[in-house]
């Protein structure tokens, strides 16, 4: 996949990019501040023992002691261990910092046109002085001073500052596209905006904080993992502090530095060092994907999602239905129907209307006609008539929903039946024979997953235009992939159950909710949650807000309303609902990376025991050299090699921590087998090889 | 090693596995309060007990209430045993006229019995009256075992229930366990043992005239009834000092085999109860398999080490393995198997002297206990100990499937990890900590019978056995000193209760959670992969901690022995 390739390149380049590396090296030292280190218990402990051994070393240096060269090397590597951990975190943060810089530039000190009354009188005030509830006017060329809701007007807005997409978007009052973001620029027209966020808590402010990781809260899983690591550290304290007493019994003694080396290599420094880098990189990966998670908790929850609610339109199908067939009634030719349908659609700029004109041309060679030449007047679609058409030269053509058209013709259809739900409502004998025929065709179209559109000329029904939802290419495979991940997909649609079932089958979703109201959605989420499942959904409208808030992962579209954006725990800047799938993958990747490195870190201990224990006791129990399975050259080189390996493995694993362990949708069993093999078994074997190799180098360089 | 030897080991495993399912079915019904074939007889007694003690059997307890009930119950038990021991001289059923037991020994023994450890710093026939044996010890043998099973049931309920605050009623669980599970089996079992030749009498010790004409006092007593529960409840405290090596405490090969079976049956059956209660028996079999893998590995090493003997013995022309400290009646296989079983479970009964095992053969019992006795384990205790490791294993590796770790539908989160870690800290702290003190504290060093690594192993074994609530002794160490009586008692206390409280906290927190239905994305916990993973985590997290100590004890002893150095 392109995205993962991109991420890989990004991860590797971050390690090499001097713009990130240089500040990161500096940060590795400033992060030594114990007040910062204490947040990471494992590395904090390493810092403490490094500091203590340094003091002891200095004392010995003054008083004069033996083996100072060896002690010095161990101490240097102890400090490196801490620095490498800080470096990992700093590199992860560095990537976000660069992004934050760009964002900060957009937060210029703009002037705001504060409105005093209902008119357009305003006074210029600094943007920073605005408070929630203020009304401001934003005209072409102005930068929107803060987040808000459009209360009047419509304007095209350039949101490149936050989305990176230069094509302008429309923002208008009412409806689902009323939210505007501070720092974006109005290109044309004007809007009246009610401010909804104070300075410092705007969307861009939050973005900056997020990508910088400044206010990063530990996520629940991270907290649990930290407890485990702290617990293991305590266990190894017991294991090491008791050794001197055993040695005394055996008639020997063990130096502090050797004990420290054993202790530091045994405690889970690898995962301890990389844990926060993994978390930051996970958030960062989302940001690169133009998705903003409001908390790390949400990213974790994404990995746990069991049920995905997806809106049909825009996610599963292309946003617009397209005409696919003309279905005339008996006695009317397809050509006649196509001609009338094309005429009725000439002035119809909706994608559906355009697709009828295209189909008429493709199938029947009917060329476009000029409305003015025909002297035609356009009758636009209204919510009351639910039809549109053209009056030209005493003739009138109309097209519209089947029940609305029957009503218009005088078929006696009950008014205001939801579109497409006519099948049963229309059955009564009151229908004319023609009406029944139209109805039969309409049913047929519905069953195949299409939407019927009736066409009439001069009050006579000619037939049905079949509009069809076009299922997005490749979406079926995506759903199959999700199924392999163990995630159930539910399609949400306003269509009638028949149409919904047909599209559901075509797209390959597991289930669907037809004729869904916002309440139905909310209920569905609650039901799933009651079964213990985690639910993810995306939405944009204000009426989606309750469901977005209820869902465990609610991705709000950036184009959506302020209410929706506040309710969700993620915002998709590209407003692409299909992304929900990637969000889940990124969440899984984050958890997997943590698990893989924890397993690796703990598995490493086996080799370290075999390196250090024989070396430690060799002086008084030479027999124990049998345990020196790596055949390390001397006790000193064994201990030094183990501690060098322990430090270097942190650096070696930074790229993996940043780019994450690759996720494959192959089911948990296969995934676990693969990862256990690589990180579990690998974690046992690799240090044996690594420590041996380092030992050879240490001996070659006469370091020990 | 011989074919017939391996046949015995395999036969043992087959019988255990065969008993697991029916017993699991029966116990699930008992603890679910359902009718069983014994109900017509026992139900009136059960109802009577509740009526007299004012227990409402339908009222369940919050985990904390349950735990407090457990603790209070133990305080009571402790006071009774301590009191009886101190006053036994003035109490009835003391035909031999044993005097009052010393304060520190009484303290140690009382602690030993309420914690299901049954560490013997006393010699049964030379110190205790019949009343002490029966009221003090046999009685606690039942109750500490029943408590262990009750606790395991509470934890299992935590996994099997969803969104509730209660984990069962301790008084009901203990009553049902004693009445429906332990007592009926023990009645039959005791009769069987008597048939095999074990004494069961309240009469005086027997005077016998030997062939040489010398007078010999043969100790007897209510042995069979105590042995039955000592094995079934994985208590291990022997009626006689020689424990199951004594002919009256283990008369025949058959009694030996059945005693071994009875150590494991209830613990193994609990895995099936777990599977049944979480709605998938395969979950139970997976856990039993983890135990099985570790068990067979241990048996193989010990049997191999004992059957091969040592280079020193071979140099003396002694072939046929290491028979030192073993009963000739049982031989190498039955002794090795017994040693591994009794330490895998927290039984502690012995039919051979572990002290006389080869270094490596004796290391396996040590490791078995240090892993937390989760290989079947003490009745109940083994199950909850194992579940703690499962929680850790799932937490460490479960993330690798890309989900927050979950086990049988329960998310493993910070609270569970915290409690599991707390419980797992207990063993290294008590074992390594006290050993470190004892090997340098002069008064303690004086208790050692052997020098060098072997003496070290004796001390390590003593604290391991105490903290693990096993109770078997490596022997060679004089444990009945003020220092050992107190420190061992503290290891027993911490090893038992600092494990119980966290385990119960987990039970409460799990019971309150929702249950998540499994999907394709869920960590599969019934297959070989899971079994391998848990075994790995047990060995690395539970085992490696003890590696330095083991290296200085049995490992170095073994290596030194090969080089001709003996200790």
């Amino acid at each position: 996949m392109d995205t993962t390739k991109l991420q890989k390149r990004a991860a590797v380049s971050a390690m090499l990019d001097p713009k990130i590396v240089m500040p990161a090296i500096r940060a590795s030292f400033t992060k030594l501040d114990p007040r910062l280190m204490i947040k990471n218990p494992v590395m904090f402990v390493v810092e403490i023992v490094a500091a203590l051994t340094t003091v002891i070393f200095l004392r010995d240096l003054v008083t004069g002691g033996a083996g100072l060269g060896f002690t010095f090397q161990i101490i240097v590597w102890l400090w490196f261990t801490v620095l490498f951990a800080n470096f990992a975190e700093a590199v992860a943060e560095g990537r976000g910092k660069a992004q934050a810089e760009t964002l900060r530039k957009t937060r210029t000190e703009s002037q705001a046109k504060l409105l005093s009354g209902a008119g357009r009188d305003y006074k210029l005030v600094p943007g920073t002085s605005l408070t929630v509830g203020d009304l401001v006017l934003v005209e072409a060329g102005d930068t929107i001073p803060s987040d808000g809701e459009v209360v009047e007007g419509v304007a095209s807005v350039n949101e490149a500052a936050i989305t990176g997409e230069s094509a302008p978007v429309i923002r208008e009052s009412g409806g689902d596209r009323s939210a505007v973001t501070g720092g974006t620029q109005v290109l044309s027209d004007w809007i009246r905006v009610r401010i909804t966020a104070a300075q410092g808590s705007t969307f861009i402010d939050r973005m900056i904080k997020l990508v910088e990781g400044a206010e990063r809260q530990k996520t629940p899983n991270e907290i649990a993992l930290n407890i485990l690591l702290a617990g293991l550290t305590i266990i190894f304290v017991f294991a090491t502090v008791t050794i001197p007493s055993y040695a005394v019994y055996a008639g020997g003694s063990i130096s502090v530095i050797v004990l420290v080396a054993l202790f530091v290599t045994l405690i889970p420094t690898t995962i301890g060092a990389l844990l926060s880098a993994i978390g930051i990189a996970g958030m960062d990966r989302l940001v690169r994907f133009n998705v903003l998670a409001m908390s790390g908790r949400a990213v974790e929850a994404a990995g746990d999602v069991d049920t995905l609610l997806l809106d049909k339109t825009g996610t599963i199908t292309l946003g617009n239905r397209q005409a696919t067939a003309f279905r005339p009634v008996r006695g009317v030719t397809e050509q006649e129907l196509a001609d009338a349908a094309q005429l009725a659609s000439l002035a119809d700029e909706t994608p559906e209307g355009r697709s009828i004109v295209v189909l008429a041309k493709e199938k029947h060679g009917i060329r476009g006609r000029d409305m003015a030449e025909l002297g035609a007047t356009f009758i636009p679609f209204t919510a009351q008539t639910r039809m549109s058409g053209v009056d030209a030269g005493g003739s009138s053509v109309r097209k519209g929903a089947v029940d609305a058209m029957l009503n218009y013709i005088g078929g006696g259809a009950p008014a205001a039946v939801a579109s497409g739900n006519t099948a049963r409502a229309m059955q009564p004998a009151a229908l004319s024979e023609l009406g029944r025929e139209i109805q039969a065709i309409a049913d047929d179209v519905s069953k195949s997953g299409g939407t019927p559109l009736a066409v009439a000329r001069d009050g006579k029904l000619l037939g049905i235009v079949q509009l069809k939802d076009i299922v997005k290419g490749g979406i079926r495979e995506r759903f199959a992939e999700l199924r392999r991940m163990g995630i159930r997909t539910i399609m949400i649609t306003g269509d009638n159950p028949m149409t919904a079932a047909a599209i559901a089958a075509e797209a390959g979703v597991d289930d669907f909710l037809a004729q869904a109201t916002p309440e139905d959605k909310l209920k569905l989420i609650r039901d799933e949650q009651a079964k213990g499942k985690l639910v993810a959904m995306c939405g944009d409208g204000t009426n989606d807000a309750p469901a977005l808030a209820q869902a465990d992962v609610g991705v709000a579209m950036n184009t959506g309303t302020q209410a929706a954006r506040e309710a969700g725990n993620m915002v998709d800047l590209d407003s692409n609902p299909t992304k929900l799938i990637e969000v889940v993958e990124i969440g899984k990747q984050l958890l997997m990376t943590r698990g893989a490195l924890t397993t690796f870190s703990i598995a490493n201990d086996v080799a370290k025991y075999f390196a250090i224990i024989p070396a430690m006791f060799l002086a008084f129990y030479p027999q124990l050299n049998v345990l020196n399975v790596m055949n390390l050259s001397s006790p000193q080189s064994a201990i030094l090699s183990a501690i060098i390996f322990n430090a270097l493995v942190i650096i070696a694993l930074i790229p993996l921590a940043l780019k994450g362990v690759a996720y494959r949708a192959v089911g948990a069993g296969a995934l676990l087998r693969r990862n256990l093999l690589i990180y579990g078994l690998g974690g046992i074997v690799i240090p044996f090889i690594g420590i041996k190799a380092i030992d050879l180098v240490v001996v070659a360089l006469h370091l020990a | 090693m011989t074919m017939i030897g391996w046949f015995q080991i395999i036969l043992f495993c087959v019988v255990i596995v065969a008993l697991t399912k029916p017993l699991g079915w029966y116990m699930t019904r008992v603890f679910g309060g359902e009718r069983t074939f014994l109900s017509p007889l026992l139900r009136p007694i059960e109802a009577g007990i509740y009526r007299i003690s004012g227990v409402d059997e339908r009222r369940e307890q919050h985990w904390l209430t349950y735990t407090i009930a457990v603790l209070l119950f133990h305080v009571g038990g402790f006071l009774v045993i301590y009191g009886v021991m101190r006053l036994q001289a003035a109490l009835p059923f003391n035909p031999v006229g044993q005097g009052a037991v010393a304060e520190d020994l009484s303290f140690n023994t009382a602690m030993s019995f309420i914690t299901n450890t049954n560490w013997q710093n006393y010699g049964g026939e030379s110190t205790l009256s019949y009343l002490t044996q029966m009221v003090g010890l046999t009685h606690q043998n039942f109750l500490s075992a029943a408590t262990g099973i009750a606790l395991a049931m509470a934890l299992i309920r935590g996994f099997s229930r969803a969104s509730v605050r209660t984990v069962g009623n301790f008084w009901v669980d203990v009553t049902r366990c004693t009445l429906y599970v332990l007592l009926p089996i023990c009645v039959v079992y005791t009769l069987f043992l008597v048939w095999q030749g074990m004494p069961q009498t309240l009469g005086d010790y027997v005077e016998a005239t030997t062939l040489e004409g010398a007078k010999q006092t043969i100790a007897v007593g209510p042995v069979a009834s105590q042995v039955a529960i000592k094995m079934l409840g994985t208590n291990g405290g022997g009626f006689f000092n020689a424990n199951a090596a004594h002919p009256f405490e283990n008369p025949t090969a058959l009694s030996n085999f059945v005693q071994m079976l009875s150590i494991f049956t209830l613990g193994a059956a609990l895995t099936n109860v777990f599977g049944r209660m979480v709605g998938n028996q395969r979950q139970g079999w997976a856990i039993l398999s983890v135990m099985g893998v570790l068990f067979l590995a241990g048996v193989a090493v010990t049997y191999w080490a004992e059957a091969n003997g040592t280079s020193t013995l071979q140099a003396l022309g002694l072939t046929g393995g290491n028979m030192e400290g073993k009963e000739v009646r049982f031989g190498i296989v039955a002794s090795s198997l017994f040693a591994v079983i009794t330490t895998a479970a927290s039984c502690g009964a012995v039919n051979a002297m572990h002290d006389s095992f080869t270094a490596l053969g004796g290391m396996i019992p040590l490791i078995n206990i240090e892993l937390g006795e989760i290989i079947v384990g003490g009745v109940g205790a083994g199950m909850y100990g194992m579940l703690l490791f499962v929680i850790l294993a799932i937490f460490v590796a479960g993330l690798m499937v890309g989900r927050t770790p979950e086990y049988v539908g329960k998310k493993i989160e910070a609270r569970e990890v915290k409690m599991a870690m707390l419980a797992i800290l207990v063993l290294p702290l008590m074992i390594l900590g006290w050993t470190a003190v004892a090997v340098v504290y002069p008064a303690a060093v004086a208790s050692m019978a052997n020098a060098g690594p072997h003496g070290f192993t004796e001390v390590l074994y003593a604290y391991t056995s105490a903290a693990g609530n096993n109770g078997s002794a490596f022997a060679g160490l004089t444990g009945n000193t003020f220092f050992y009586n107190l420190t061992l008692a503290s290891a027993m206390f911490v090893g038992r209760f600092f494990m119980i409280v966290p385990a119960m906290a987990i039970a409460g927190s799990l019971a309150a959670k929702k249950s998540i239905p499994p999907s394709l994305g869920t960590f599969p916990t019934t297959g070989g992969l899971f079994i391998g993973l848990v075994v790995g985590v047990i060995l690395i997290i539970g085992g490696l901690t003890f590696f330095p100590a083991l290296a200085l004890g049995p490992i170095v002893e073994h290596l030194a022995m090969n080089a001709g150095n003996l200790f």
Side-chain angles (χ1 to χ4, degrees), chain A residues 224-225 228 231-232 235 242 245-246 249 303-304 306 483 485-486 529 531 588 591-592 596 609 621 623 668 672 675, chain B residues 392 395 399-400 402-404 411 414 421 425 432 436 452 456 514 517 519-523 544-545 552 556 559:
Chain A
L225 199 50
L228 175 86
L232 287 175
I235 287 184
T242 49
S245 154
Y246 302 163
Y249 170 81
D304 282 354
D306 301 283
R483 204 166 302 119
M485 289 186 197
Q529 286 173 336
K531 283 186 250 166
K588 285 195 176 293
L591 294 172
M592 276 172 51
Y609 267 116
Y621 284 140
Q623 303 93 333
L672 184 66
N675 286 331
Chain B
L392 281 191
F395 183 77
L399 283 170
M400 287 198 294
R403 278 172 76 94
T404 308
K411 272 198 168 12
M421 280 319 286
L425 282 176
L432 298 176
F456 181 81
K514 281 191 229 170
S519 74
L520 266 179
T522 315
F523 191 115
L544 275 186
T545 325
L552 293 177
V556 84
L559 297 169

Side-chain angles (χ1 to χ4, degrees), chain A residues 220-221 223-225 227-228 231-232 234-236 238-239 242-243 245-250 262 300 303-306 483-487 529-534 587-589 591-596 598-599 602-603 605-606 609-610 613 617 620-621 623-624 626-627 663 667-669 671-673 675-676 679-680 684, chain B residues 392 395-406 411-415 417-419 421 424-426 428-429 431-433 435-440 445 448 450-456 460 514-517 519-524 529-530 533 540-541 544-549 551-552 555-556 559-560 563 565 567:
Chain A
N221 177 260
I223 292 171
L225 199 50
I227 292 172
L228 175 86
L232 287 175
I234 298 173
I235 287 184
F236 290 123
F238 297 156
T242 49
I243 289 178
S245 154
Y246 302 163
V248 167
Y249 170 81
L262 176 68
E300 246 166 42
D304 282 354
V305 163
D306 301 283
R483 204 166 302 119
R484 282 198 300 274
M485 289 186 197
I487 296 173
Q529 286 173 336
K531 283 186 250 166
K533 295 183 174 174
L534 257 64
K588 285 195 176 293
Q589 229 186 343
L591 294 172
M592 276 172 51
T593 311
R594 259 187 222 149
T598 308
T599 308
I602 293 174
D605 278 359
V606 179
Y609 267 116
F610 278 97
I613 292 293
F617 300 136
F620 42 99
Y621 284 140
Q623 303 93 333
L624 283 175
V626 175
L627 295 177
Y663 179 75
L671 203 59
L672 184 66
R673 191 168 310 120
N675 286 331
L676 260 185
Y679 301 101
I684 294 179
Chain B
L392 281 191
F395 183 77
V396 168
L399 283 170
M400 287 198 294
V401 301
R403 278 172 76 94
T404 308
E406 59 198 48
K411 272 198 168 12
I412 306 300
E413 288 163 308
R415 190 174 167 80
V417 174
K418 192 192 293 172
M419 293 301 154
M421 280 319 286
I424 284 173
L425 282 176
V426 167
L429 176 65
I431 297 174
L432 298 176
T435 305
V437 173
V439 294
V440 291
V445 175
M448 286 186 210
N450 301 78
H454 196 78
F456 181 81
L460 181 65
K514 281 191 229 170
S515 186
I516 307 155
S519 74
L520 266 179
T522 315
F523 191 115
L529 202 60
F530 169 77
L533 170 72
I540 292 181
I541 293 184
L544 275 186
T545 325
F546 298 99
F547 188 58
L552 293 177
I555 294 177
V556 84
L559 297 169
N565 286 327
F567 298 96

Side-chain angles (χ1 to χ4, degrees), chain B residues 97-453:
Chain B
Q98 308 277 20
V101 184
E103 282 166 358
D104 60 336
L105 183 58
S106 300
F107 178 77
N108 181 285
T109 308
M111 192 60 84
S112 163
F113 276 78
I114 62 159
T115 54
N116 197 266
T117 310
N118 302 21
W119 171 267
Q120 286 175 277
N121 268 354
Y122 61 88
E125 61 273 43
S126 59
T127 328
L128 305 181
S129 72
Y130 288 171
L131 184 79
T132 310
Q133 292 266 17
M134 291 190 301
V135 177
L137 309 190
T138 309
H139 154 255
Q140 269 305 320
N141 279 351
F142 273 96
L143 295 184
S144 66
T147 307
I149 296 179
L151 289 164
M153 289 310 301
L155 183 55
I156 293 174
R157 287 192 191 109
F159 279 103
S160 70
R161 293 177 170 186
S163 316
V164 294
R165 293 175 54 80
T166 58
V167 292
N169 182 315
F170 172 67
W171 309 113
V172 173
D173 284 343
V174 161
T175 310
R176 286 200 180 135
C177 183
T178 313
L179 216 47
Y180 289 86
V181 181
L182 299 178
L183 272 176
I185 299 178
C186 279
V187 168
V188 178
Y189 192 8
T190 304
L191 291 175
F192 163 83
L193 292 172
V194 170
W195 169 57
Q196 286 294 304
M198 209 176 273
Q200 176 73 9
T201 173
L202 289 176
D204 203 348
Y205 289 176
V206 178
E207 290 282 331
T209 312
T210 63
L211 285 175
E212 294 93 8
K215 288 276 177 198
Q216 186 186 357
T217 307
I218 299 177
V220 291
V223 185
S225 59
Q226 194 189 318
V227 167
I229 188 61
K230 147 195 158 191
M231 293 299 178
L232 190 68
T234 63
N235 292 288
F239 194 91
F240 302 107
N241 202 18
N243 211 306
H246 193 292
F248 281 170
E249 207 163 326
N250 198 357
T252 64
L254 183 61
S255 78
N256 189 58
F257 190 74
V258 174
Q259 288 196 20
M260 291 195 291
L261 285 178
S262 61
I263 297 175
F264 263 13
T265 37
L266 290 184
L270 276 171
T271 62
N272 187 257
V273 174
F274 173 75
R276 282 174 195 274
M277 288 187 60
V278 299
N280 180 1
Q281 286 191 51
R282 292 182 55 196
Q283 301 283 5
W285 291 119
I287 289 190
L288 190 61
S289 307
V290 173
M291 298 169 168
V293 169
L294 291 166
F295 173 67
L296 283 175
V299 171
V301 173
T302 301
Y303 183 29
W304 168 81
E306 295 309 307
N308 275 8
T310 64
S311 48
T312 330
L313 287 175
Q314 279 154 13
L316 294 171
L318 287 171
T319 52
N322 172 28
M323 276 300 290
E324 184 198 312
K326 293 190 180 64
E327 263 286 292
V328 186
R329 296 181 296 137
F330 304 129
I332 287 175
V333 184
S335 302
S336 305
L337 188 57
F338 199 109
V340 176
I341 293 170
T342 195
T343 50
S346 81
C347 183
V350 288
N351 73 350
M353 292 303 117
H354 295 179
D355 192 28
S356 302
F357 275 34
T358 60
L360 294 184
M363 183 174 75
I364 295 299
L366 198 54
I367 291 177
N368 274 342
I369 309 173
E370 283 167 352
L371 293 181
E373 289 169 330
I374 35 72
I375 306 167
V376 180
V379 282
M383 190 67 206
Y384 60 72
M386 175 57 96
L387 286 173
L388 293 177
F389 268 115
V390 169
I391 285 176
L392 281 191
I394 292 279
F395 183 77
V396 168
L399 283 170
M400 287 198 294
V401 301
R403 278 172 76 94
T404 308
E406 59 198 48
Y407 181 58
V408 294
K410 297 288 187 169
K411 272 198 168 12
I412 306 300
E413 288 163 308
R415 190 174 167 80
E416 289 76 40
V417 174
K418 192 192 293 172
M419 293 301 154
M421 280 319 286
L422 263 181
I424 284 173
L425 282 176
V426 167
L427 284 186
L429 176 65
M430 285 293 118
I431 297 174
L432 298 176
W434 281 126
T435 305
V437 173
V439 294
V440 291
Y441 183 60
V445 175
S447 281
M448 286 186 210
N450 301 78

